Amino acid sequence: MIKRVDERFHETVYILKLRNGMQVHILPKEDPYYTTYVELSVPYGAIDLSYRVGNQILKTPYGSAHFFEHKIFAMPDGDAFGKFSMLGVDANAMTSYHQTSYLFTATENVMEALDHLLKMIDTTYFTTENVENEKSIIAEELKMYLDDPNVVLQNRLMENLYHQHPIRYDIGGTLESIMEMTPEILEMMHQTVYQPSNRLITIAGKVDIKVLKAYFKAYDQTHPIKVHKPKIMYPKEFKKPLKRMDVMNLSTNIDKLLIGIKLTPRRLTPRDQIKREMAIAMMLNILLGSSSQAYEKLLEEQLINSSFSIQTTFENKAESIMIYAETKKIKRLKSVLVRLLTEDGYELITKDAFDRYKKAYLGQFVFALNNLENKAYLYGKYHHMGSSLFEVVDLLSDMTFEEVKNSFHEMKKPYMSILINQKA
Amino acid sequence: MITIINDFKTIQIALYLSDLDKKDTSVYRFLLPKLMTSHTDRLDSRMKMSLELENLYGAYFKIRVERFANLSVMSIILTIVDPGIVKDKELLESALSLLKEVLFDHAHFSKDIFDEEKRMLIEQWETLENKKRLFAQTRFYEHFFEGDLYGYPLSGTKNDLEKINLDQMMTYYQDVIKHSPIKVVVNGPIDPHSLTTIKQYLDIDRPCQIPFETKFRDPRPVKVIEEMTSDLQQAIIKLGYHFGIFRHDSLYNAAVILETVLGGYPESRLFKQIREDKGLCYDIGSNYDYYKGVLMIAAGVDQTQVQFAIDEIQKLVAHMIDQGISEDELKHAKAFYTHQIKSSLDSQSVLTKRAFIRDLLHYNESVEERLSEIQKVTTEDVKHALKSLILDTVYVLKGDTV
């Protein structure tokens, strides 16, 4: 077992590397503390649809990772949630574009719940009947999202930005794609993606290190097989968007503007990739965050309201920025934002703002560490990226003003896609 | 002032301003914390306020207005990082100074910011129908809590917003600052020296003398409301039950267990039978409001299955009222609920709010006593509580093209 201590943030991490390839990272919290948070994650999410295993290329429908996440809870003796509830723990699961996580929080019966979680992941029970039933549940989930005009618009913007990349579609897939799911596809996914070598277990909070160590040693002995990780394949994607301008007429009571900007992914080391993501996010905050001149002006001119938001997406072979606004002056807002993002903004990125944001980002990091679930989630995210949570602070202090300012040039007009919803 | 000392990595400084909940002050109470935290006399624009917060390592305000039975509580919570972690000795004092400014330093509010806040809230009202779930919730509350303040929007109505002017807002603010009950809660890694500093800045508590009243109207014949809206793929169903069991009642813990078994967690009857067995929905659950003595069920279902789903939910509830719950269900619900209480003690925000509510409502029960009371609940207690459950309101929001 490896022990790492981070003096700055008063954090300790214990790392167990099993022979079967599984890694267990433990972040203890001293007494008085009641909760233990356990997360099992695999670096496999909604955009991972094709992968090479040996000489074979396996393909799965849109929404497969999410469908699997739902269905792995089915056990021969009933739904796994039942046992979690019986143990008095709160279990959940989530699928992102790049990762699927199964988690629980417990204040009692931690080891029993951990054992149940691993049994659930190790046991498949996919039948035609339970897969068919799940299709109707997931269809209702997708319809719930589709009743939100903002989701419909965001989905359309992604479809307009991307030609082929699976990020074009919702994490849950489409009402059509989920109908293609079969027990055989789910079984095949389990055999290739869900093997121990692909799993990370993050445990945070109240823990007994000795008991955990003994448990995982025994687990390693009963699950000795190490399976090679599959190679995920992504289709070749064009730099420019599929569609640069689009208009929808969803029934809304105010006009909506979405600006998508496709970024060009680069081959970088994990450290440089994290720096790049932070630099772009910081640049956007300096340009359009609540302390920016531009934001204040947009409010003054009544061009935006409280719904205004900026979002960045950094996924494998798909990186983009999305700006969302509701407005009563759509033409003016569109022209102001496009000019700001591609011309006027560069001069507004100042050293003062950069220094201030560095402080604010350090604060945000500490805020994230304060919450057990956030801390464990971010820990897993950076581990799967090939870095570590505590290294992020070093990367932040290494970041230069020039890196942030230069990231402005990543936003180019030909890479922009605009979507307008004109109120009915 | 309530002080909670622990080893979280942040310090929360919370101000709670209470008053009797009234229709005619709703709009003021909703707008006031927004105005107070957006600018002060010194920081006279939103931008300056944001710059100040960023310089305090991204410190942030969380503002809220909530109802607790007959009381309305405005909260302004400032969260800062532990000054020890960022090695900044001036951080705490700068934060306290800012919070004091936010509370007291408003010789006037900026007309531009006031108008902006009004405009943004009015636009939220204008777009409410686009947020289908929030729209359904708002409409359901209007019907279920008909004639009760709970049915009146926390923000006031769009009409209230349109009518309010800056002078009225200023007068209301001055009244709040002079007379409103106020409680300060400080939570985090605070040493004795820091505590002295905090008291120098925020020794401003004023007790709340308003009697706390939990009540709801008598049961009525079931009211059924069906509304249509455009572009809706999934119907939203809401059922409101008159329950009559409040926070201080002897059957309170039985009511909590009842609600957990009915729709409070993934092993609940609604989740298992309506979602998992019948595949009628993705989201379904229940919610017990112990200040109003009501229980509510909400689900999103396929448009063509609305009546079937309502019938099935009603059958499920009727069966539960008739047969009660099993010993296993009781055991699992107790374990789940006990876990919820214990794990909430690890959340800094929950601890801050809990400390305030306990003080406001004079609750002295310790967590251990509470957990012990939950363990004492029997299936008979739950059956007894179930007898009080009376269907009151059925609300459905459907699409206009089924």
Side-chain angles (χ1 to χ4, degrees):
Chain A
M1 183 180 270
I2 305 161
K3 183 181 175 184
R4 284 186 193 147
V5 180
D6 189 295
E7 300 285 355
R8 290 166 301 179
F9 301 106
H10 319 303
E11 295 281 351
T12 304
V13 187
Y14 294 89
I15 301 170
L16 275 169
K17 291 184 178 177
L18 276 55
R19 282 176 304 169
N20 63 20
M22 191 160 88
Q23 289 201 25
V24 183
H25 293 227
I26 305 163
L27 297 103
K29 185 112 171 59
E30 300 302 321
D31 271 341
Y33 210 77
Y34 298 93
T35 313
T36 309
Y37 176 88
V38 177
E39 178 179 318
L40 185 156
S41 57
V42 293
Y44 172 86
I47 59 171
D48 305 317
L49 297 171
S50 305
Y51 33 90
R52 185 190 290 276
V53 181
N55 293 327
Q56 258 189 310
I57 292 176
L58 306 171
K59 289 192 173 180
T60 58
Y62 298 117
S64 292
H66 175 254
F67 203 109
F68 186 97
E69 173 236 289
H70 271 232
K71 219 50 261 168
I72 193 70
F73 279 86
M75 304 277 275
D77 55 351
D79 194 290
F81 269 123
K83 176 86 183 279
F84 282 123
S85 300
M86 200 175 78
L87 292 167
V89 310
D90 200 356
N92 208 342
M94 56 187 173
T95 309
S96 70
Y97 281 122
H98 58 266
Q99 181 176 321
T100 309
S101 306
Y102 302 87
L103 48 104
F104 69 82
T105 58
T107 44
E108 298 283 344
N109 303 320
V110 175
M111 294 313 295
E112 291 88 340
L114 173 63
D115 191 51
H116 182 54
L117 175 68
L118 281 162
K119 277 202 178 91
M120 179 186 99
I121 298 293
D122 287 331
T123 312
T124 59
Y125 184 63
F126 306 129
T127 66
T128 306
E129 193 193 354
N130 72 23
V131 169
E132 288 307 309
N133 193 45
E134 201 63 41
K135 286 178 184 175
S136 59
I137 294 171
I138 293 177
E140 288 308 317
E141 183 181 1
L142 295 180
K143 282 193 230 165
M144 179 177 84
Y145 302 138
L146 293 173
D147 278 334
D148 181 347
N150 291 357
V151 172
V152 177
L153 290 165
Q154 279 183 37
N155 287 352
R156 174 68 77 91
L157 184 72
M158 291 311 256
E159 286 172 30
N160 289 347
L161 277 175
Y162 290 93
H163 296 251
Q164 301 189 64
H165 195 284
I167 206 164
R168 295 186 81 217
Y169 297 103
D170 191 272
I171 285 171
T174 66
L175 290 169
E176 295 75 31
S177 74
I178 59 169
M179 297 304 157
E180 297 168 29
M181 191 51 71
T182 62
E184 291 74 27
I185 295 174
L186 294 169
E187 196 65 54
M188 182 265 289
M189 285 166 65
H190 186 261
Q191 282 169 21
T192 49
V193 180
Y194 273 81
Q195 294 308 308
S197 56
N198 243 353
R199 301 177 195 162
L200 168 72
I201 297 187
T202 315
I203 303 175
K206 186 181 180 180
V207 293
D208 185 331
I209 302 277
K210 275 187 190 165
V211 172
L212 284 169
K213 196 176 167 184
Y215 175 83
F216 284 109
K217 192 177 171 188
Y219 183 84
D220 205 13
Q221 281 165 356
T222 51
H223 298 75
I225 299 168
K226 187 171 183 174
V227 177
H228 286 294
K229 294 181 181 184
K231 184 176 164 45
I232 312 281
M233 298 163 73
Y234 303 98
K236 198 168 165 50
E237 179 62 40
F238 294 92
K239 283 185 178 178
K240 291 182 181 173
L242 177 67
K243 204 171 191 178
R244 292 195 55 196
M245 179 73 205
D246 196 4
V247 179
M248 289 182 85
N249 292 104
L250 298 178
S251 166
T252 60
N253 297 341
I254 194 164
D255 289 342
K256 290 168 188 266
L257 172 70
L258 286 88
I259 299 178
I261 308 167
K262 224 168 159 178
L263 304 170
T264 307
R266 297 180 188 171
R267 280 177 187 275
L268 296 172
T269 62
R271 285 173 60 94
D272 287 341
Q273 177 63 22
I274 292 168
K275 269 180 95 176
R276 172 177 144 78
E277 293 178 13
M278 279 199 291
I280 291 172
M282 199 182 280
M283 177 270 293
L284 288 166
N285 268 318
I286 292 172
L287 267 190
L288 279 164
S290 59
S291 62
S292 67
Q293 286 173 22
Y295 181 78
E296 188 162 76
K297 206 153 179 291
L298 291 172
L299 275 178
E300 264 172 30
E301 288 187 32
Q302 302 189 6
L303 291 174
I304 57 170
N305 61 24
S306 54
S307 67
F308 183 76
S309 66
I310 309 164
Q311 190 183 307
T312 53
T313 301
F314 293 96
E315 299 293 347
N316 258 318
K317 313 281 181 201
E319 299 183 351
S320 60
I321 296 165
M322 190 195 78
I323 292 169
Y324 169 85
E326 292 176 355
T327 183
K328 290 185 174 174
K329 302 173 183 178
I330 203 148
K331 277 188 187 164
R332 169 96 182 117
L333 178 63
K334 176 177 152 258
S335 112
V336 169
L337 283 178
V338 170
R339 268 187 53 187
L340 181 82
L341 293 166
T342 54
E343 296 166 40
D344 301 350
Y346 186 71
E347 294 306 324
L348 299 174
I349 303 165
T350 62
K351 178 78 169 54
D352 270 1
F354 167 74
D355 291 338
R356 211 176 53 246
Y357 265 100
K358 260 192 154 180
K359 271 176 102 175
Y361 271 45
L362 176 62
Q364 280 179 18
F365 182 79
V366 178
F367 294 139
L369 291 183
N370 211 30
N371 177 294
L372 206 59
E373 293 186 26
N374 271 347
K375 182 166 76 176
Y377 175 76
L378 290 174
Y379 189 91
K381 177 187 160 181
Y382 288 115
H383 174 84
H384 287 306
M385 282 179 84
S387 178
S388 88
L389 178 61
F390 301 107
E391 193 182 25
V392 172
V393 180
D394 298 328
L395 298 176
L396 177 65
S397 48
D398 286 352
M399 182 119 66
T400 63
F401 173 56
E402 287 67 33
E403 284 172 303
V404 172
K405 185 143 181 148
N406 289 338
S407 70
F408 180 84
H409 298 304
E410 299 238 4
M411 301 189 293
K412 295 185 172 76
K413 226 173 185 173
Y415 299 169
M416 204 175 254
S417 177
I418 291 170
L419 173 61
I420 288 172
N421 188 68
Q422 283 175 337
K423 67 174 186 169
Chain B
M1 180 187 295
I2 301 170
T3 313
I4 308 165
I5 298 174
N6 47 45
D7 65 348
F8 281 105
K9 291 182 168 65
T10 58
I11 298 176
Q12 288 190 337
I13 311 160
L15 309 173
Y16 292 96
L17 298 129
S18 311
D19 200 357
L20 199 60
D21 190 19
K22 285 179 270 182
K23 252 186 195 179
D24 57 0
T25 54
S26 294
V27 68
Y28 297 106
R29 296 184 72 76
F30 198 77
L31 269 173
L32 188 56
K34 288 176 185 284
L35 289 173
M36 288 165 74
T37 54
S38 62
H39 68 300
T40 64
D41 292 341
R42 179 177 66 95
L43 305 165
D44 59 0
S45 69
R46 286 179 198 277
M47 191 169 88
K48 286 182 188 166
M49 176 62 83
S50 295
L51 293 174
E52 184 86 1
L53 290 166
E54 283 164 9
N55 270 321
L56 297 175
Y57 299 87
Y60 61 91
F61 284 111
K62 205 167 175 186
I63 55 169
R64 207 167 171 189
V65 184
E66 286 174 275
R67 284 187 169 120
F68 299 101
N70 61 327
L71 301 181
S72 161
V73 177
M74 293 188 289
S75 54
I76 297 175
I77 302 175
L78 178 64
T79 304
I80 59 168
V81 297
D82 174 2
I85 292 181
V86 291
K87 296 185 173 47
D88 185 334
K89 287 180 183 161
E90 283 160 22
L91 176 59
L92 179 65
E93 205 151 348
S94 305
L96 289 165
S97 173
L98 175 64
L99 191 57
K100 206 166 177 187
E101 266 184 80
V102 159
L103 193 59
F104 296 112
D105 292 356
H106 299 280
H108 65 276
F109 287 126
S110 148
K111 169 112 177 46
D112 288 347
I113 294 178
F114 174 74
D115 288 342
E116 246 166 49
E117 287 294 349
K118 263 181 76 169
R119 172 181 70 84
M120 289 194 284
L121 281 173
I122 288 168
E123 287 183 9
Q124 275 185 28
W125 271 109
E126 287 169 349
T127 56
L128 178 65
E129 203 175 339
N130 307 146
K131 297 157 196 138
K132 312 291 185 193
R133 299 212 153 219
L134 186 60
F135 177 71
Q137 176 74 357
T138 307
R139 298 289 293 149
F140 168 67
Y141 262 53
E142 281 173 17
H143 291 288
F144 186 36
F145 294 107
E146 201 173 9
D148 190 289
L149 270 173
Y150 264 46
Y152 200 74
L154 262 173
S155 64
T157 61
K158 187 179 167 214
N159 192 30
D160 293 337
L161 278 163
E162 281 162 347
K163 281 198 301 198
I164 186 175
N165 67 43
L166 188 56
D167 290 340
Q168 292 165 328
M169 191 75 235
M170 198 63 214
T171 307
Y172 187 74
Y173 161 71
Q174 284 161 348
D175 186 55
V176 164
I177 288 307
K178 276 186 200 145
H179 306 296
S180 177
I182 181 163
K183 176 60 70 182
V184 179
V185 181
V186 186
N187 181 354
I190 306 157
D191 57 36
H193 173 70
S194 302
L195 190 58
T196 308
T197 310
I198 294 169
K199 283 180 178 162
Q200 280 165 3
Y201 276 87
L202 292 172
D203 188 14
I204 53 173
D205 278 16
R206 265 196 301 255
C208 182
Q209 312 283 9
I210 307 164
F212 184 64
E213 285 174 9
T214 50
K215 61 178 181 187
F216 189 45
R217 61 171 165 74
D218 291 334
R220 65 180 180 191
V222 179
K223 183 175 180 183
V224 180
I225 308 104
E226 199 172 292
E227 294 190 316
M228 305 286 239
T229 187
S230 52
D231 290 339
L232 192 66
Q233 305 218 16
Q234 190 184 56
I236 300 165
I237 295 173
K238 304 244 175 210
L239 281 81
Y241 288 83
H242 200 284
F243 202 12
I245 300 173
F246 298 91
R247 176 70 179 80
H248 53 268
D249 287 335
S250 57
L251 278 173
Y252 166 65
N253 286 314
V256 165
I257 294 296
L258 178 164
E259 190 274 329
T260 306
V261 174
L262 175 64
Y265 74 141
E267 189 59 8
S268 68
R269 290 197 183 184
L270 286 171
F271 193 88
K272 278 174 74 178
Q273 295 177 26
I274 306 295
R275 172 183 148 141
E276 295 296 312
D277 297 347
K278 298 197 165 67
L280 281 170
C281 55
Y282 166 71
D283 67 317
I284 186 159
S286 59
N287 175 31
Y288 166 40
D289 187 320
Y290 39 78
Y291 295 123
K292 276 286 141 188
V294 296
L295 191 143
M296 295 162 278
I297 293 173
V301 302
D302 185 281
Q303 303 262 27
T304 59
Q305 305 261 36
V306 173
Q307 198 50 52
F308 180 59
I310 292 173
D311 292 345
E312 288 300 309
I313 293 170
Q314 287 199 57
K315 258 195 256 173
L316 183 152
V317 175
H319 183 261
M320 199 163 153
I321 292 171
D322 189 47
Q323 301 290 317
I325 64 167
S326 71
E327 288 294 338
D328 270 357
E329 283 178 316
L330 177 74
K331 196 171 126 193
H332 299 171
K334 279 181 183 176
F336 183 81
Y337 198 70
T338 300
H339 163 66
Q340 295 297 315
I341 292 178
K342 283 166 80 176
S343 66
S344 73
L345 299 175
D346 292 331
S347 159
Q348 192 175 21
S349 298
V350 171
L351 288 176
T352 301
K353 187 171 171 182
R354 173 176 292 175
F356 164 70
I357 292 174
R358 286 170 61 83
D359 179 82
L360 178 76
L361 307 183
H362 311 295
Y363 291 153
N364 298 314
E365 188 187 40
S366 68
V367 172
E368 290 73 23
E369 285 166 345
R370 178 83 213 284
L371 294 175
S372 159
E373 288 304 310
I374 287 165
Q375 289 310 316
K376 286 180 196 159
V377 174
T378 64
T379 52
E380 275 309 303
D381 295 333
V382 175
K383 200 163 183 185
H384 193 179
L386 276 162
K387 300 292 178 205
S388 307
L389 215 47
I390 302 165
L391 183 63
D392 183 277
T393 305
V394 178
Y395 175 86
V396 181
L397 182 67
K398 283 169 104 171
D400 52 13
T401 49
V402 180

